[in-house]
Amino acid sequence: EDKVVQSPLSLVVHEGDTVTLNCSYEVTNFRSLLWYKQEKKAPTFLFMLTSSGIEKKSGRLSSILDKKELFSILNITATQTGDSAVYLCAVHSGVGGNKLVFGAGTILRVKS
Amino acid sequence: NAGVTQTPKFRVLKTGQSMTLLCAQDMNHEYMYWYRQDPGMGLRLIHYSVGEGTTAKGEVPDGYNVSRLKKQNFLLGLESAAPSQTSVYFCASSQTRDRVEHFGDGTRLSIL
């Protein structure tokens, strides 16, 4: 059974801290791994990773994939209160068509 | 520039009632999806469609039906609502199967 596990489940940091969120997976026919940020409503797409070792970066956020060890990390540097959200990791499995398996998410709270 | 629009935003049903959730996208996307999000469980795929007139089962399809008569619309039906279907329902669309970027704001459904 396909599985995506995120850790930690939640964390609280202070503004300016750097955080690392983890996502490990076990899926058949891995195609890609995606990160989303979810505030009150719709998940917002952050990154899609398909190749090991290539960092994707957008401002203070970056992510990297390790296909050998089956995990990805999402880093946020110089955190701000606006980074408070649930961060979702999802893995796309090619078996059976269109299966995007989500982790339960990491709840991040940034205190001022 | 609406993106993905879901209606209604909130609904309370009694056990056994039926209803239809509507998802509309204005981006001419081929792929559309219905997910449910429950606390601690991430998003789970209910049904999806790879084009007008096509539908397929996802991870948790029981108790739901879908239709995609027009490319821009994807309907999710509950034939006989049960309390276990209390959840937040998200619709999403994408142009490619790998990159699900666009989500609606969700429908919060409570079944008493």
Side-chain angles (χ1 to χ4, degrees), chain B residues 20-52:
Chain B
T20 300
L21 280 64
L22 172 63
C23 176
Q25 52 98 359
D26 61 2
M27 296 168 284
N28 203 35
H29 285 168
E30 292 294 334
Y31 299 87
M32 295 187 75
Y33 317 83
W34 275 107
Y35 291 91
R36 60 178 288 174
Q37 186 174 33
D38 301 296
M41 298 190 74
L43 279 79
R44 291 181 292 167
L45 183 64
I46 304 171
H47 286 279
Y48 65 96
S49 168
V50 301
E52 181 178 319

Short mmCIF file of all heavy atoms in Angstrom, two decimals, chain B residues 20-52:
data_model
loop_
_atom_site.label_atom_id
_atom_site.label_comp_id
_atom_site.label_asym_id
_atom_site.label_seq_id
_atom_site.Cartn_x
_atom_site.Cartn_y
_atom_site.Cartn_z
N THR B 20 -25.44 17.21 -4.36
CA THR B 20 -24.40 17.27 -5.38
C THR B 20 -23.52 18.47 -5.13
O THR B 20 -24.01 19.58 -4.90
CB THR B 20 -25.02 17.39 -6.79
OG1 THR B 20 -25.84 16.25 -7.04
CG2 THR B 20 -23.93 17.46 -7.86
N LEU B 21 -22.20 18.23 -5.15
CA LEU B 21 -21.23 19.30 -5.07
C LEU B 21 -20.74 19.61 -6.48
O LEU B 21 -20.45 18.69 -7.26
CB LEU B 21 -20.03 18.88 -4.21
CG LEU B 21 -20.16 18.94 -2.70
CD1 LEU B 21 -21.21 17.97 -2.18
CD2 LEU B 21 -18.81 18.63 -2.05
N LEU B 22 -20.65 20.90 -6.77
CA LEU B 22 -20.24 21.31 -8.10
C LEU B 22 -18.84 21.89 -8.09
O LEU B 22 -18.49 22.68 -7.21
CB LEU B 22 -21.21 22.36 -8.65
CG LEU B 22 -20.81 23.03 -9.97
CD1 LEU B 22 -20.74 22.01 -11.10
CD2 LEU B 22 -21.77 24.16 -10.31
N CYS B 23 -18.04 21.50 -9.06
CA CYS B 23 -16.71 22.06 -9.26
C CYS B 23 -16.63 22.59 -10.68
O CYS B 23 -16.97 21.86 -11.63
CB CYS B 23 -15.64 21.01 -9.03
SG CYS B 23 -13.96 21.59 -9.36
N ALA B 24 -16.18 23.81 -10.83
CA ALA B 24 -16.03 24.41 -12.16
C ALA B 24 -14.64 25.00 -12.28
O ALA B 24 -14.16 25.66 -11.36
CB ALA B 24 -17.09 25.49 -12.38
N GLN B 25 -14.01 24.76 -13.45
CA GLN B 25 -12.69 25.36 -13.70
C GLN B 25 -12.71 26.05 -15.06
O GLN B 25 -13.34 25.58 -16.01
CB GLN B 25 -11.58 24.29 -13.64
CG GLN B 25 -11.80 23.07 -14.49
CD GLN B 25 -11.08 23.06 -15.82
OE1 GLN B 25 -10.38 24.02 -16.17
NE2 GLN B 25 -11.23 21.98 -16.58
N ASP B 26 -11.99 27.17 -15.11
CA ASP B 26 -12.01 27.98 -16.33
C ASP B 26 -10.66 28.00 -17.02
O ASP B 26 -10.33 28.94 -17.75
CB ASP B 26 -12.48 29.40 -16.00
CG ASP B 26 -11.57 30.12 -15.00
OD1 ASP B 26 -10.54 29.52 -14.60
OD2 ASP B 26 -11.89 31.26 -14.63
N MET B 27 -9.85 26.97 -16.79
CA MET B 27 -8.49 26.92 -17.34
C MET B 27 -8.36 25.90 -18.47
O MET B 27 -7.25 25.61 -18.93
CB MET B 27 -7.50 26.59 -16.20
CG MET B 27 -7.48 27.70 -15.16
SD MET B 27 -6.62 27.22 -13.65
CE MET B 27 -7.85 26.17 -12.87
N ASN B 28 -9.47 25.31 -18.88
CA ASN B 28 -9.48 24.31 -19.95
C ASN B 28 -8.63 23.08 -19.61
O ASN B 28 -8.04 22.46 -20.50
CB ASN B 28 -9.01 24.93 -21.28
CG ASN B 28 -9.51 24.15 -22.48
OD1 ASN B 28 -10.62 23.63 -22.47
ND2 ASN B 28 -8.70 24.07 -23.52
N HIS B 29 -8.57 22.75 -18.32
CA HIS B 29 -7.77 21.60 -17.91
C HIS B 29 -8.46 20.29 -18.24
O HIS B 29 -9.68 20.17 -18.15
CB HIS B 29 -7.51 21.66 -16.40
CG HIS B 29 -6.49 22.67 -16.02
ND1 HIS B 29 -6.28 23.07 -14.71
CD2 HIS B 29 -5.59 23.37 -16.76
CE1 HIS B 29 -5.30 23.97 -14.67
NE2 HIS B 29 -4.88 24.16 -15.91
N GLU B 30 -7.64 19.29 -18.59
CA GLU B 30 -8.18 17.97 -18.89
C GLU B 30 -8.53 17.20 -17.62
O GLU B 30 -9.51 16.51 -17.56
CB GLU B 30 -7.16 17.16 -19.69
CG GLU B 30 -6.90 17.69 -21.09
CD GLU B 30 -8.12 17.55 -21.99
OE1 GLU B 30 -8.97 16.66 -21.74
OE2 GLU B 30 -8.24 18.35 -22.94
N TYR B 31 -7.66 17.29 -16.61
CA TYR B 31 -7.78 16.45 -15.43
C TYR B 31 -8.51 17.18 -14.31
O TYR B 31 -8.20 18.34 -14.01
CB TYR B 31 -6.40 16.03 -14.92
CG TYR B 31 -5.59 15.24 -15.90
CD1 TYR B 31 -4.78 15.86 -16.84
CD2 TYR B 31 -5.63 13.85 -15.88
CE1 TYR B 31 -4.04 15.13 -17.75
CE2 TYR B 31 -4.88 13.11 -16.78
CZ TYR B 31 -4.09 13.76 -17.72
OH TYR B 31 -3.36 13.03 -18.62
N MET B 32 -9.44 16.48 -13.69
CA MET B 32 -10.12 17.04 -12.52
C MET B 32 -10.24 15.96 -11.46
O MET B 32 -10.31 14.76 -11.78
CB MET B 32 -11.50 17.60 -12.91
CG MET B 32 -11.42 18.79 -13.86
SD MET B 32 -13.00 19.59 -14.16
CE MET B 32 -13.24 20.50 -12.61
N TYR B 33 -10.28 16.39 -10.20
CA TYR B 33 -10.19 15.47 -9.07
C TYR B 33 -11.12 15.92 -7.94
O TYR B 33 -11.32 17.12 -7.74
CB TYR B 33 -8.77 15.44 -8.49
CG TYR B 33 -7.65 15.40 -9.50
CD1 TYR B 33 -7.19 16.57 -10.11
CD2 TYR B 33 -7.05 14.19 -9.84
CE1 TYR B 33 -6.17 16.53 -11.04
CE2 TYR B 33 -6.01 14.16 -10.76
CZ TYR B 33 -5.58 15.32 -11.36
OH TYR B 33 -4.56 15.28 -12.28
N TRP B 34 -11.61 14.95 -7.21
CA TRP B 34 -12.29 15.24 -5.95
C TRP B 34 -11.53 14.53 -4.83
O TRP B 34 -11.27 13.33 -4.90
CB TRP B 34 -13.74 14.73 -5.97
CG TRP B 34 -14.69 15.69 -6.58
CD1 TRP B 34 -15.31 15.59 -7.79
CD2 TRP B 34 -15.18 16.90 -6.00
NE1 TRP B 34 -16.12 16.67 -8.00
CE2 TRP B 34 -16.07 17.49 -6.92
CE3 TRP B 34 -14.94 17.56 -4.79
CZ2 TRP B 34 -16.73 18.70 -6.66
CZ3 TRP B 34 -15.59 18.75 -4.54
CH2 TRP B 34 -16.48 19.31 -5.47
N TYR B 35 -11.19 15.33 -3.79
CA TYR B 35 -10.52 14.81 -2.60
C TYR B 35 -11.40 15.10 -1.39
O TYR B 35 -12.16 16.05 -1.38
CB TYR B 35 -9.18 15.51 -2.37
CG TYR B 35 -8.10 15.20 -3.37
CD1 TYR B 35 -7.95 16.00 -4.51
CD2 TYR B 35 -7.23 14.13 -3.19
CE1 TYR B 35 -6.94 15.73 -5.42
CE2 TYR B 35 -6.23 13.86 -4.10
CZ TYR B 35 -6.09 14.67 -5.22
OH TYR B 35 -5.10 14.39 -6.13
N ARG B 36 -11.19 14.32 -0.34
CA ARG B 36 -11.73 14.68 0.95
C ARG B 36 -10.57 14.82 1.94
O ARG B 36 -9.56 14.11 1.82
CB ARG B 36 -12.76 13.67 1.45
CG ARG B 36 -12.29 12.26 1.63
CD ARG B 36 -13.40 11.35 2.18
NE ARG B 36 -13.68 11.63 3.58
CZ ARG B 36 -14.68 11.07 4.28
NH1 ARG B 36 -15.48 10.20 3.69
NH2 ARG B 36 -14.87 11.36 5.54
N GLN B 37 -10.73 15.74 2.88
CA GLN B 37 -9.68 15.97 3.86
C GLN B 37 -10.27 15.83 5.25
O GLN B 37 -11.18 16.57 5.64
CB GLN B 37 -9.06 17.36 3.70
CG GLN B 37 -7.86 17.58 4.61
CD GLN B 37 -7.15 18.90 4.36
OE1 GLN B 37 -7.75 19.90 4.00
NE2 GLN B 37 -5.83 18.91 4.52
N ASP B 38 -9.72 14.89 5.99
CA ASP B 38 -10.14 14.63 7.36
C ASP B 38 -8.97 14.89 8.29
O ASP B 38 -7.81 14.72 7.90
CB ASP B 38 -10.63 13.18 7.50
CG ASP B 38 -11.78 12.89 6.56
OD1 ASP B 38 -12.83 13.52 6.74
OD2 ASP B 38 -11.62 12.06 5.64
N PRO B 39 -9.25 15.27 9.53
CA PRO B 39 -8.16 15.58 10.47
C PRO B 39 -7.17 14.43 10.61
O PRO B 39 -7.57 13.27 10.79
CB PRO B 39 -8.91 15.84 11.78
CG PRO B 39 -10.27 16.26 11.37
CD PRO B 39 -10.57 15.47 10.13
N GLY B 40 -5.88 14.76 10.50
CA GLY B 40 -4.84 13.75 10.70
C GLY B 40 -4.67 12.78 9.57
O GLY B 40 -3.89 11.83 9.69
N MET B 41 -5.39 12.98 8.45
CA MET B 41 -5.32 11.97 7.38
C MET B 41 -4.91 12.54 6.03
O MET B 41 -4.87 11.82 5.05
CB MET B 41 -6.65 11.26 7.23
CG MET B 41 -7.07 10.51 8.47
SD MET B 41 -8.48 9.45 8.19
CE MET B 41 -7.73 8.13 7.25
N GLY B 42 -4.63 13.81 5.96
CA GLY B 42 -4.27 14.38 4.66
C GLY B 42 -5.45 14.33 3.70
O GLY B 42 -6.59 14.12 4.09
N LEU B 43 -5.17 14.52 2.42
CA LEU B 43 -6.22 14.47 1.40
C LEU B 43 -6.26 13.08 0.79
O LEU B 43 -5.21 12.49 0.50
CB LEU B 43 -5.92 15.48 0.28
CG LEU B 43 -6.31 16.94 0.55
CD1 LEU B 43 -5.28 17.62 1.43
CD2 LEU B 43 -6.45 17.69 -0.76
N ARG B 44 -7.46 12.58 0.57
CA ARG B 44 -7.62 11.28 -0.07
C ARG B 44 -8.47 11.43 -1.32
O ARG B 44 -9.50 12.10 -1.29
CB ARG B 44 -8.26 10.28 0.91
CG ARG B 44 -7.35 9.90 2.07
CD ARG B 44 -8.01 8.89 2.99
NE ARG B 44 -9.14 9.47 3.70
CZ ARG B 44 -10.05 8.77 4.37
NH1 ARG B 44 -9.97 7.45 4.41
NH2 ARG B 44 -11.02 9.38 5.01
N LEU B 45 -8.04 10.77 -2.37
CA LEU B 45 -8.70 10.89 -3.66
C LEU B 45 -9.97 10.06 -3.71
O LEU B 45 -9.96 8.86 -3.44
CB LEU B 45 -7.74 10.45 -4.77
CG LEU B 45 -8.23 10.57 -6.20
CD1 LEU B 45 -8.46 12.03 -6.58
CD2 LEU B 45 -7.23 9.93 -7.16
N ILE B 46 -11.08 10.70 -4.08
CA ILE B 46 -12.36 10.01 -4.15
C ILE B 46 -12.58 9.48 -5.57
O ILE B 46 -12.71 8.28 -5.80
CB ILE B 46 -13.52 10.95 -3.76
CG1 ILE B 46 -13.28 11.56 -2.37
CG2 ILE B 46 -14.85 10.19 -3.76
CD1 ILE B 46 -14.26 12.68 -2.02
N HIS B 47 -12.64 10.39 -6.51
CA HIS B 47 -12.78 10.07 -7.94
C HIS B 47 -11.99 11.09 -8.73
O HIS B 47 -11.71 12.17 -8.23
CB HIS B 47 -14.25 10.15 -8.39
CG HIS B 47 -15.12 9.02 -7.93
ND1 HIS B 47 -15.14 7.79 -8.57
CD2 HIS B 47 -16.02 8.94 -6.93
CE1 HIS B 47 -16.03 7.01 -7.96
NE2 HIS B 47 -16.57 7.68 -6.97
N TYR B 48 -11.69 10.74 -9.97
CA TYR B 48 -11.03 11.69 -10.83
C TYR B 48 -11.50 11.51 -12.27
O TYR B 48 -12.19 10.53 -12.60
CB TYR B 48 -9.51 11.59 -10.72
CG TYR B 48 -8.92 10.28 -11.21
CD1 TYR B 48 -8.41 10.15 -12.50
CD2 TYR B 48 -8.85 9.18 -10.37
CE1 TYR B 48 -7.85 8.96 -12.94
CE2 TYR B 48 -8.30 7.98 -10.80
CZ TYR B 48 -7.80 7.88 -12.07
OH TYR B 48 -7.26 6.70 -12.51
N SER B 49 -11.10 12.47 -13.11
CA SER B 49 -11.49 12.41 -14.52
C SER B 49 -10.31 12.86 -15.36
O SER B 49 -9.64 13.84 -15.04
CB SER B 49 -12.68 13.34 -14.75
OG SER B 49 -12.90 13.54 -16.13
N VAL B 50 -10.05 12.13 -16.45
CA VAL B 50 -8.94 12.49 -17.33
C VAL B 50 -9.42 13.20 -18.58
O VAL B 50 -8.64 13.45 -19.49
CB VAL B 50 -8.08 11.26 -17.69
CG1 VAL B 50 -7.53 10.61 -16.43
CG2 VAL B 50 -8.85 10.26 -18.52
N GLY B 51 -10.70 13.53 -18.63
CA GLY B 51 -11.23 14.27 -19.76
C GLY B 51 -12.75 14.23 -19.75
O GLY B 51 -13.36 13.44 -19.03
N GLU B 52 -13.33 15.07 -20.58
CA GLU B 52 -14.79 15.12 -20.67
C GLU B 52 -15.37 13.74 -20.95
O GLU B 52 -14.87 13.01 -21.82
CB GLU B 52 -15.18 16.08 -21.80
CG GLU B 52 -16.66 16.27 -21.99
CD GLU B 52 -16.95 17.28 -23.10
OE1 GLU B 52 -16.27 18.31 -23.18
OE2 GLU B 52 -17.85 16.99 -23.92
#
